[in-house]
Amino acid sequence: MVVEKELPLAGLVVVDMSQFLSGPYCTLRLMDLGARVIKIERPDGGDLSRRLYLSDSESGDSTIFHAINRSKESLAIDLKSERDMQALRKLISKADVLVQNFRPGVIERLGLDYEAAQEINPRLVYCSISGYGDEGPWVSRPGQDLLAQSRSGVMWLNGDEGQGPVPFGLAIGDMLAGAAAAQGILAALVRRGVTGKGGLVETSLLEALVDLQVEVLTVHMNSGNKLPQRSGFRSAHAYLSAPYGVYPAFDGYLAIAMTPISKLADLLAMNELAPYRDDPKSWFTARDDIKALISARIATRTVDEWLAILEPADIWCAKVLNWPELLQSEGFGVLDMLQTVGRDDGISVRTTRSPVRIDGQRPKFERAAPHVGEHNAAIWEEFDLG
């Protein structure tokens, strides 16, 4: 196991003034790379995501809060107290990175915008995550994931053509913005290592969601601005032809990616596909009809029976797993991506580990998320904040 002092960001201090998902996910990535993350929270309840939703945990904090705030430290700061704000400014003067995702105007009222923070600490790498950037008509709108997805166009890529817009089943805007922010911070830290100067890193949920669509949005802008045409039958990608999709087998679901219809027709023993074998254009123009024929055929056998036929022929296909099947699979098990984090009050949460391996090993941390203000006394003393 890689120990914390051996990780690339060991010794760096991150002041995390963010809450909910985007900022905390960013600082989680930095923590997994060795940084020390000090989470700034309100004394009266802390990060609002502590109460986002509860699972079987009886800690009073949501499971998602533990997942993205594991192994961080909590410093409770009353933003209306001048004494506490002076302490926070002193902490910032000794930090390497600051991350905030307040709504526009809030950080300025606190006197901790980039220009003010730079005066406190010229070496500071300052990161701001917003909903829609810092100008334009959407600036004051709530930077919430579902709303950002709604404005990004991404909902028209999911589901079948007749369904209308379909959101992703997870907070992709938040998570992608957090990942983009972490990339920007790492780049700014590298530059600081050369120049000695900090810098400003900015991103937003909307920018991250647009970047996610680089493949299909580029096609749209360079093909007469045609809107994506999702398949009306078991759609999986608006811009790819049949057989690309997920098909119900006798005992589960089978995903089939890019495959020539002529080759698939032979393997599936489907004379019904003869009209389309040598007409690649039809694989898109008639994809609903083709996929309906394939679906009827796939339904006659089990997933394993089809895999035994298709995989040896180098067809790109896979069984569609649910979470229990994934967690029990050998392919997932060898990655060793799970860990249990705990706290001194008996809280124990099973969660994921970093997706990044360092020197061949995946960092592992055992501490769950902190109580609000759990590290106040230690941090005040260590950084001489009084």
Side-chain angles (χ1 to χ4, degrees), residues 29-85:
R29 292 281 72 87
L30 301 179
M31 189 279 300
D32 276 333
L33 292 172
R36 177 183 181 183
V37 178
I38 299 176
K39 186 172 180 63
I40 307 302
E41 299 193 82
R42 300 180 307 172
D44 57 340
D47 186 333
L48 293 175
S49 73
R50 285 182 179 270
R51 302 177 298 280
L52 191 60
Y53 61 78
L54 298 174
S55 66
D56 295 334
S57 169
E58 296 180 357
S59 68
D61 297 325
S62 70
T63 306
I64 183 61
F65 179 81
H66 280 288
I68 62 173
N69 290 288
R70 53 181 170 79
S71 294
K72 299 177 184 178
E73 300 171 44
S74 176
L75 177 64
I77 291 290
D78 183 351
L79 300 178
K80 297 180 180 180
S81 164
E82 183 55 34
R83 174 177 176 270
D84 279 14
M85 290 300 292

Side-chain angles (χ1 to χ4, degrees), residues 112-124:
L112 291 175
D113 54 278
Y114 171 61
E115 288 74 16
Q118 191 178 42
E119 290 184 10
I120 297 171
N121 181 356
R123 287 177 52 82
L124 184 72

